[in-house]
Amino acid sequence: MPVPVQTTRATSVTASSLEHFNTAPPDEAVQTLLTCLNSRDWAHPLTAHRPYPDLPALLAAADEAAYDLSPVGLTEALAAEALPTLPEDTYAAAHTALSAATAAYESRFGHAFVICLDGLPASEALDHVLEGIRSRLANDPDEERLVASEELRRLATGRLTRLLGAGPQCA
């Protein structure tokens, strides 16, 4: 499995991007949100509570909806996640180590390993992912679902922020 590596860039959210989200037809808004976190349990409440006065209000609502995910919604979101790719110049042993670690993780927990690498330099991403998998393999399944849920929340926040054209985010 590939390793997430994301470069960070900062821009400012435009009023027009938030306005477009606020005024889009409900089906379009839901589809847009599903690109950030593939859970209808998350996307529908965010769509229903529009309009949002500003990006912080939308992000707060997104966080709350992520914390409130049902077990089915969490499973739906986890099923859609995959590790982003490693840089092409990553050595073969890293690919092998990551493949073995993700296979062990998926076998133990039954879903993809998710991790947000927000703000990490690309040079540290592989080590961070391998360390994360190794340490989280010691979790019991209920504890790991909580950790994975938190990582999904962070990923969704970053993706939503990127979608609206602002700040650093996760892959």
Side-chain angles (χ1 to χ4, degrees), residues 16-87:
S16 63
S17 61
L18 182 60
E19 181 63 26
H20 177 76
F21 173 76
N22 280 333
T23 60
D27 288 348
E28 181 183 326
V30 166
Q31 289 305 311
T32 297
L33 291 168
L34 290 174
T35 67
C36 298
L37 183 69
N38 191 42
S39 172
R40 295 191 181 283
D41 285 356
W42 181 76
H44 283 291
L46 290 175
T47 299
H49 290 103
R50 295 176 304 158
Y52 295 95
D54 53 28
L55 181 61
L58 173 57
L59 294 176
D63 273 356
E64 184 177 334
Y67 285 123
D68 292 342
L69 277 179
S70 69
V72 170
L74 179 58
T75 299
E76 179 185 30
L78 285 169
E81 290 296 323
L83 289 171
T85 58
L86 283 171

Side-chain angles (χ1 to χ4, degrees), residues 145-156:
R145 279 186 77 82
L146 290 173
V147 173
S149 178
E150 176 61 17
E151 292 297 325
L152 280 173
R153 185 196 63 75
R154 293 179 61 214
L155 285 166

Side-chain angles (χ1 to χ4, degrees), residues 9-15 17-18 55 157-169:
R9 65 182 172 88
T11 59
S12 60
V13 68
T14 63
S17 61
L18 182 60
L55 181 61
T157 298
R159 291 168 180 164
L160 187 55
T161 301
R162 178 175 47 234
L163 188 65
L164 294 177
Q169 49 260 289

